Amino acid sequence: MGFGFGGVLASALEAFGPLCVGIDPHDFLLQDWGLPSSAAGAREFGLRVVDAAAGRAGIVKPQVAFFERFGSAGYSALEEVLAAARSKGLIVIADAKRGDIDTSLAGYVEGWLTPGSPIEADALTINPFQGVASLESAMEYAADNGKGLFVLAATSNPEAARVQGARVVGSASDQASRTDPLATATVSRAIIDDVSAFNAGRAEQGPIGSIGVVLGATVDFAALGIDMNSAHSPALPVLAPGFGHQGATATDVRRLFGALTPFTLVSESRSLLQAGPRGLAAAIDARAEEVRAALV
């Protein structure tokens, strides 16, 4: 299927379902797996997760921080893991949460999303703290190169509620803000509206947009003024952490994400990885089937 990242994502969802397997080499997991807390350990851990996920899930999400902490050796390890995952046909979302303005942001995005880059991924998580408008060149770059971005909108950590629930004046696609200059939306709602507006302006992307949002599965969306049954055209991809260890389950997906359910990636890390190197493949198989069954 064509249409850039959205098309690639649609194909993976159809073939494997929405499970997204995290690659998070925490120290305690490295120890449990009998691996050293080093770049070499993180490399081996990541490659084993890739092998277990290939053919069972369509998407993996390496947490960049757990490689970055080992410096240049960690990045070398990450390069191998990224290349291995993409060579096996997995969609790779680099969970780096980058964010900046102008040329600095361009450097991040070119590093992660340029075809042929040593750290090439298929999509990148990105932080909109300086405003979604500051991300426009990054969103354009991603869409132009068949890549994706997932913009942090409503994260599952409780400390975020105060900022993400604050109210701002309007947003790009909010009808009320166009008719009432004093109308407000929460930060989270405004981010979602702005991302959706960008996708709508890139109709050539096809039925699913290249730019998505991060919505934590443990978030009270109603409290943030987010209507999960709002229409988005093209469809809005959602990266949804918070499953497994953080408490959300496969049976919660439809209730939580409503009309966005068909385009929601169920992201799970620790609860799968704790199965260990010998049990991981079976754990991924079981969870992938559980998620698919819950969405039938």
Side-chain angles (χ1 to χ4, degrees):
M1 182 179 295
F3 301 119
F5 177 72
V8 172
L9 189 59
S11 295
L13 291 171
E14 182 178 355
F16 296 103
L19 182 65
C20 172
V21 179
I23 304 180
D24 297 13
H26 293 268
D27 272 343
F28 79 91
L29 286 172
L30 291 173
Q31 182 177 354
D32 289 348
W33 284 39
L35 296 170
S37 179
S38 65
R43 171 190 175 278
E44 182 64 22
F45 182 97
L47 293 176
R48 291 184 186 182
V49 177
V50 166
D51 286 342
R56 298 181 173 87
I59 308 158
V60 292
K61 182 175 71 65
Q63 172 47 260
V64 171
F66 291 118
F67 294 86
E68 191 171 81
R69 62 189 175 134
F70 298 118
S72 59
Y75 262 95
S76 179
L78 178 60
E79 288 175 14
E80 291 191 51
V81 173
L82 295 172
R86 298 187 72 251
S87 73
K88 292 180 181 292
L90 291 159
I91 291 177
V92 179
I93 301 173
D95 195 355
K97 300 181 178 69
R98 296 298 191 244
D100 214 316
I101 56 174
D102 300 330
T103 55
S104 298
L105 180 60
Y108 286 131
V109 171
E110 289 171 16
W112 291 104
L113 300 183
T114 297
S117 166
I119 52 173
E120 180 184 358
D122 298 292
L124 175 70
T125 57
I126 197 163
N127 191 327
F129 183 77
Q130 286 136 313
V132 174
S134 73
L135 307 178
E136 186 166 354
S137 62
M139 295 191 291
E140 293 282 0
Y141 188 90
D144 288 344
N145 286 277
K147 302 293 189 178
L149 293 173
F150 286 94
V151 182
L152 303 184
T155 58
S156 54
N157 60 308
E159 302 89 350
R162 183 180 179 190
V163 172
Q164 294 171 0
R167 302 194 73 85
V168 296
V169 177
S171 56
S173 63
D174 181 32
Q175 180 63 38
S177 70
R178 291 198 291 269
T179 57
D180 179 0
L182 298 181
T184 63
T186 64
V187 169
S188 290
R189 165 65 188 277
I191 290 169
I192 293 168
D193 287 348
D194 289 348
V195 170
S196 186
F198 173 84
N199 283 335
R202 296 281 307 226
E204 77 280 6
Q205 292 180 100
I208 302 180
S210 292
I211 313 302
V213 292
V214 177
L215 300 177
T218 58
V219 171
D220 183 347
F221 298 125
L224 292 176
I226 301 171
D227 181 1
M228 303 306 283
N229 289 310
S230 292
H232 299 270
S233 181
L236 182 68
V238 174
L239 176 61
F243 288 89
H245 179 80
Q246 294 185 53
T249 67
T251 56
D252 294 323
V253 178
R254 283 195 184 278
R255 175 181 60 83
L256 292 171
F257 293 96
L260 296 178
T261 295
F263 320 104
T264 295
L265 311 184
V266 175
S267 182
E268 193 166 340
S269 301
R270 276 174 286 181
S271 51
L272 291 174
L273 301 172
Q274 285 177 315
R278 294 182 179 177
L280 181 58
I284 292 173
D285 260 335
R287 188 70 82 249
E289 179 55 35
E290 181 184 357
V291 174
R292 284 193 295 266
L295 301 184
V296 171

